[in-house]
Amino acid sequence: MTATGTDPHNVDGQAICITVFSAVKGWGKLWLPAVFLVARYRPGATGKLAKLSFIHFARWTLVREIAGKRLRHPQLFFESNFNGGWQEYIDAFSHILTGGMKTFWGSSYGFPEPLPTGPFKRYIQRHELVASHFYSAYPEATTTIVLSALALDGELRALRERTRDVDPVTFAREWDAFLEKVQADL
Amino acid sequence: MAGLELTDIQGDILRAYGNAYRLTTYLFFRIDDADAGKTWLRSVLPRVTTAAPWPAQFKPRATLNIAVTAAGVRALGAGEPRDLGFSSEFCDGMAASAAILGDGGPSDPGTWEDGLHDGTLHVLATVNALGDDELRDALEGLRDDAARAGGVAVAYEQPARMLPNAREHFGYADGFAQPAVAGVDDVDRRVGGGVLEKGAWRPLAPGEFILGYEDEDTRVDPERRLPNAPRDPLGRSGTYMVWRKLRQDVALFRRTLRDAAARYRDGDHEKLAAKVVGRWRNGAPLVNWPDAPPPEPFDPKNPHVNAFGYAEDAAGLRCPAGAHIRRSNPRDILGFETALSFRHRIIRRGMPYGDPLLPEDATDDDGADRGLIFVCFNASISRQFEGIQAQWLNDGNALHLGHDSDFLLGHPLGTGKMTIPGRPPFLLGPQAPFVTTRGGGYLFVPGLRALATLSDAQR
Amino acid sequence: MSADVSGQAFALTVLTPIADGQADALRGYLERLRDGGSRGPLARLPRTHFGRWVIVPGFVADGEREPDQLTTPQLLFTACFDGKLDSYLTELATELAAEADEIWGRCAGCPRPATGAALKAYLMAHRIKTGFFVAAYGKATVPEVRAALAQREQLIAFAREAQEMDDATRRSEFAARFGS
């Protein structure tokens, strides 16, 4: 265990990966595709997930067949690239995305309630696979830093435009106004 | 929820003994012989102070509390700590968590004081005393008992004492902000005290701090399972303790603030000092007193001192998002009420050590060793104490502060900064190594029955 | 827009059966890719935000009747990358030729050598379409993210120094460092 609470192979700098497979009950074969559809087309559906802002990219997929052979029980495949710590990540899913967890994993065999966190974490741990190789193109950057950097870029462009030909005193004023606007991203 | 069995829980955990106990000595023992260790423990057992309330007006001259390390559990012949159900971080010891705790560079365990780690220290006797005579008597008693038992040696002695006005060495009033715990502070529904749920504050479940009781997970568990704990009778009424000797470079801190104040437009170095911590030196929180401290004399028991949240100060214009108290206890600011913070609370009982650097504005170091003996209690070291260090203090991600770490604790490379929100903001730096770890350990504070078991006392 | 896409980012999932007796060797090879401080082969595919190789030895049964048994362990490869799938796989099949042979070359049914059009076809044939893909910044490419990150560092450094500059210096330094 490193400072991230997961196997070192699941870590690249600040980035952490999690890979989970779980067998899905019969009704999940209809339920999950519907869930995916709703999640894609209703932007508000993933509001909480976005607000948690420690996930770079995540995906859910229903795997119905492997090597051309149909599975008796399709597998729900989940992967995420995130920051922080494994414990904190699952805690957030448990406490905050309680409804979302039930929606996505409710049809998986053996899935306990998202709360209390103990059994939920144990379930995830049992179904989690350790990566053999995990790569991030910008390992030291967390999701919030990436978002801040992208926001700053836009603001900086605007500042450059605004101050193209101004004198130092005007620039000083513009610079202060710029800093005031972007201070949460510094 | 069952009431708390205060006679079985050691004192100073749920309720502080109070500032009348201005002297503390941490006396670490090494057990060289298991039977001797048990004999010695049996002899001190009757003097251990519990959480039971004292009769009105009565205060014992000195209090005594006992904690053990994993090595201590082994040395007492109780068995292998892992097999007994102690947590893995406790069994591995604090040095093994160095990466998690940010104990690198000048705080690396390789630089710690000789022998000041939980691998060689077995039992900690904490004595809190009203005065010098009381302290001396209590310590003599402990040493005499050890000598009589044989096979038990004093391994490290750390004196500590309150500074005037309950300040710590950087000059801040400290120690009065603690979590609200059900069964102890049931009437404590103050803003910011415990858990914010559906718009109302309530105290935390006692199992977050004392084992054998329901914790916050139990509350939402249909089977009402209790948190992981060492196997009874060792676990019940116990708690985990973190003990860290943190040296403070007071001169460096003062110099940094004074130098930076020259460029700070919104105030003087006192205001900068307040922005770094989130409280003015007298303890008044910036959230409630954003522009100037309340006049002296200021009573830290004023309810506005601890009853606050940060929801109205999201931008951090009053109390910066990176301020020490906001980082170490984010209250309601991480979003989703307290869902992301409520399981990471700790109870702190530290004490300053070493003489103050005088005069109060001296910016040259005098070479003396001074700092804080950091002590905290929690049911899970990894979730609570380590969680705070790794996720909130040593990094900024959870608080949307990039890689900025807690300015007050300093940075080993001296390259960091702190954004002080404002119109415009001020970037405070450089973040030098103001605080370094000199040693310490993870301990377990057994309940009274557990202590009796550990010492083979006949019941 | 397909479920594999969010903004301009694509979620690729490939599941291939590992050839008999090759799982341990494959795991060992993958785990050594970062030896000596190497960033690994995916660093040579600059459109890749995140990528992973995971060995799936079998599925954990949880009380289902007649749980599925894998006849052979599977190799899972996933990536979040910029732009179109077709060109990404073309780049992968070219750039990662050496490693691909050690990785997918150990998978059943993979053409040897595992490069070029043959590898691309193999990966396409084993691709699993995504159900739901969520990206925090799906519109930003890897070069854009990297440039923004570096620029943020420079901006913070400048902002700290600018606190001590006079107006004229601040104006000229800003122009020098960030363009005018």
Side-chain angles (χ1 to χ4, degrees):
Chain A
M1 285 273 156
T2 64
T4 53
T6 187
D7 190 286
H9 287 101
N10 286 333
V11 180
D12 187 9
Q14 298 285 323
I16 304 173
C17 78
I18 186 170
T19 315
V20 179
F21 277 91
S22 57
V24 163
K25 295 177 185 170
W27 58 273
K29 291 189 232 191
L30 294 172
W31 171 250
L32 283 170
V35 166
F36 295 156
L37 213 59
V38 169
R40 274 166 62 202
Y41 291 107
R42 261 209 358 209
T46 50
K48 274 189 185 173
L49 201 61
K51 236 183 118 186
L52 281 171
S53 67
F54 45 60
I55 300 171
H56 292 269
F57 300 91
R59 73 182 78 164
W60 284 264
T61 290
L62 192 57
V63 181
R64 295 177 191 271
E65 60 176 52
I66 296 207
K69 214 184 85 173
R70 202 121 183 112
L71 292 169
R72 184 183 308 276
H73 312 279
Q75 292 281 329
L76 175 63
F77 161 58
F78 168 71
E79 77 148 40
S80 175
N81 304 279
F82 66 98
N83 310 115
W86 189 95
Q87 294 283 339
E88 285 70 23
Y89 186 65
I90 305 299
D91 272 336
F93 271 32
S94 204
H95 290 291
I96 293 161
L97 296 175
T98 324
M101 290 303 96
K102 282 215 259 225
T103 302
F104 280 93
W105 274 291
S107 63
S108 292
Y109 285 98
F111 181 72
E113 292 293 304
L115 284 172
T117 60
F120 179 60
K121 278 181 186 157
R122 280 193 293 277
Y123 179 82
I124 301 285
Q125 266 160 347
R126 270 193 18 255
H127 287 267
E128 185 183 353
L129 295 167
V130 176
S132 295
H133 179 76
F134 173 56
Y135 166 82
S136 164
Y138 28 84
E140 292 313 311
T142 62
T143 307
T144 54
I145 293 181
V146 173
L147 292 170
S148 283
L150 293 170
L152 266 178
D153 184 56
E155 293 295 334
L156 189 56
R157 275 174 215 280
L159 177 70
R160 250 203 312 272
E161 271 302 309
R162 264 198 316 276
T163 60
R164 197 172 286 287
D165 294 307
V166 302
D167 61 86
V169 172
T170 311
F171 180 79
R173 232 182 21 246
E174 289 287 340
W175 174 249
D176 276 355
F178 166 78
L179 281 183
E180 202 182 309
K181 188 157 191 221
V182 304
Q183 56 189 297
D185 291 318
L186 295 174
Chain B
M1 201 182 298
L4 297 166
E5 201 185 341
L6 298 177
T7 50
D8 195 42
I9 301 168
Q10 289 199 44
D12 210 28
I13 301 169
L14 292 170
R15 255 195 246 278
Y17 290 140
N19 288 347
Y21 292 90
R22 54 187 186 80
L23 301 173
T24 303
T25 291
Y26 303 95
L27 201 56
F28 286 95
F29 290 88
R30 194 187 63 245
I31 313 276
D32 293 319
D33 174 79
D35 287 330
K38 289 201 254 258
T39 304
W40 171 71
L41 207 52
R42 274 199 300 279
S43 68
V44 305
L45 205 53
R47 303 204 296 279
V48 171
T49 315
T50 72
W54 297 329
Q57 318 309 342
F58 170 74
K59 274 182 161 53
R61 304 174 77 238
T63 63
L64 172 65
N65 292 101
I66 301 289
V68 292
T69 62
V73 169
R74 225 175 271 122
L76 283 164
E80 179 49 48
R82 250 170 265 268
D83 298 335
L84 295 168
F86 288 92
S87 68
S88 59
E89 65 275 14
F90 169 77
C91 295
D92 292 338
M94 197 173 81
S97 286
I100 294 173
L101 300 179
D103 282 338
S107 296
D108 187 277
T111 68
W112 289 0
E113 281 182 46
D114 230 4
L116 188 55
H117 64 90
D118 48 30
T120 56
L121 304 172
H122 294 160
V123 179
L124 168 62
T126 302
V127 176
N128 289 285
L130 294 171
D132 296 289
D133 293 336
E134 293 89 334
L135 181 68
R136 195 193 49 240
D137 292 345
L139 293 175
E140 250 172 50
L142 285 167
R143 289 196 201 96
D144 287 347
D145 289 330
R148 255 196 304 279
V152 178
V154 173
Y156 194 92
E157 180 168 344
Q158 178 64 59
R161 63 185 162 90
M162 276 185 52
L163 298 178
N165 295 323
R167 303 290 170 102
E168 49 74 58
H169 281 290
F170 287 148
Y172 299 89
D174 188 27
F176 45 85
Q178 303 292 351
V181 184
V184 180
D185 311 289
D186 276 312
V187 294
D188 192 346
R189 294 186 177 268
R190 65 183 148 91
V191 173
V195 186
L196 177 61
E197 215 167 51
K198 302 196 181 71
W201 288 88
R202 62 165 174 82
L204 285 151
E208 294 292 307
F209 304 103
I210 305 289
L211 296 168
Y213 291 92
E214 297 192 339
D215 71 357
E216 289 294 328
D217 231 17
T218 315
R219 282 174 54 95
V220 293
D221 184 357
E223 293 179 48
R224 307 219 82 80
R225 280 164 285 203
L226 295 180
N228 287 336
R231 276 207 311 271
D232 275 336
L234 292 178
R236 180 162 177 87
S237 302
T239 190
Y240 286 100
M241 173 189 192
V242 179
W243 191 97
R244 287 162 72 73
K245 180 169 182 174
L246 302 176
R247 176 187 292 155
Q248 295 174 257
D249 192 335
V250 178
L252 181 59
F253 186 69
R254 287 177 186 170
R255 272 201 313 278
T256 302
L257 287 182
R258 277 184 203 271
D259 290 346
R263 296 182 299 285
Y264 183 51
R265 289 185 244 169
D266 285 343
D268 61 1
H269 74 276
E270 278 302 323
K271 182 126 187 238
L272 264 185
K275 291 287 186 181
V276 166
V277 170
R279 292 181 188 274
W280 297 94
R281 304 244 208 208
N282 66 6
L286 279 175
V287 159
N288 288 332
W289 285 277
D291 302 308
E296 299 300 327
F298 177 70
D299 181 11
K301 291 200 201 54
N302 177 326
H304 294 294
V305 164
N306 267 325
F308 62 89
Y310 297 108
E312 311 283 309
D313 186 32
L317 288 166
R318 295 184 166 212
C319 177
H324 179 72
I325 67 162
R326 189 157 165 161
R327 278 176 180 272
S328 47
N329 180 18
R331 303 183 184 225
D332 56 356
I333 205 54
L334 292 180
F336 311 103
E337 297 190 310
T338 52
L340 290 171
S341 61
F342 76 127
R343 302 221 63 213
H344 306 285
R345 304 293 306 277
I346 53 175
I347 291 175
R348 293 171 305 123
R349 296 278 181 250
M351 271 292 238
Y353 76 91
D355 296 326
L357 178 64
L358 295 169
E360 270 179 33
D361 57 359
T363 49
D364 287 315
D365 193 31
D366 61 357
D369 186 18
R370 61 179 61 85
L372 179 74
I373 301 300
F374 172 88
V375 171
C376 78
F377 300 108
N378 45 198
S380 164
I381 295 174
S382 68
R383 183 181 79 245
Q384 292 161 273
F385 171 68
E386 290 184 349
I388 295 172
Q389 284 281 132
Q391 305 298 334
W392 297 343
L393 296 179
N394 293 335
D395 187 63
N397 182 51
L399 308 138
H400 296 226
L401 292 169
H403 284 313
D404 292 349
S405 63
D406 188 311
F407 193 86
L408 184 72
L409 298 184
H411 194 280
L413 296 174
T415 53
K417 62 101 166 122
M418 173 182 173
T419 301
I420 303 202
R423 301 187 164 110
F426 179 68
L427 300 182
L428 174 63
Q431 184 187 17
F434 304 122
V435 178
T436 50
T437 313
R438 306 307 310 128
Y442 288 158
L443 303 111
F444 186 74
V445 185
L448 274 291
R449 276 195 293 274
L451 273 177
T453 304
L454 278 171
S455 61
D456 278 357
Q458 302 306 326
R459 286 247 122 198
Chain C
M1 191 158 79
S2 88
D4 298 303
V5 177
S6 178
Q8 57 84 48
F10 194 100
L12 170 67
T13 309
V14 178
L15 202 55
T16 49
I18 302 175
D20 267 342
Q22 289 291 318
D24 285 339
L26 177 54
R27 180 183 283 110
Y29 177 80
L30 290 168
E31 285 178 358
R32 284 191 306 271
L33 285 176
R34 291 262 289 278
D35 279 359
S38 164
R39 294 294 300 139
L42 294 173
R44 302 202 310 274
L45 288 178
R47 285 162 62 181
T48 316
H49 288 265
F50 294 91
R52 66 182 79 172
W53 276 285
V54 184
I55 309 249
V56 186
F59 295 129
V60 174
D62 244 312
E64 60 265 38
R65 239 173 348 131
E66 297 173 65
D68 291 287
Q69 310 277 15
L70 285 176
T71 51
T72 178
Q74 305 286 312
L75 174 67
L76 172 74
F77 171 69
T78 71
C80 300
F81 63 85
D82 297 323
K84 300 270 180 266
L85 174 64
D86 196 85
S87 54
Y88 183 74
L89 285 180
T90 304
E91 279 171 37
L92 187 156
T94 320
E95 263 310 312
L96 264 48
E99 290 90 349
D101 211 44
E102 297 280 350
I103 299 172
W104 287 292
R106 286 193 163 96
C107 293
C110 183
R112 305 299 296 276
T115 66
L119 173 63
K120 183 172 159 182
Y122 179 71
L123 295 175
M124 277 288 206
H126 287 84
R127 180 171 88 89
I128 299 177
K129 296 204 186 127
T130 308
F132 176 56
F133 177 42
V134 56
Y137 41 90
K139 297 204 177 93
T141 65
V142 174
E144 281 165 4
V145 170
R146 283 181 169 153
L149 289 169
Q151 180 178 254
R152 178 175 170 276
E153 294 291 308
Q154 285 151 13
L155 197 62
I156 293 172
F158 173 72
R160 289 174 71 176
E161 294 168 49
Q163 284 173 164
E164 307 193 43
M165 293 173 185
D166 61 61
D167 289 351
T169 314
R170 191 183 301 116
R171 176 81 189 87
S172 56
E173 272 299 306
F174 178 81
R177 299 193 207 188
F178 301 101
S180 49

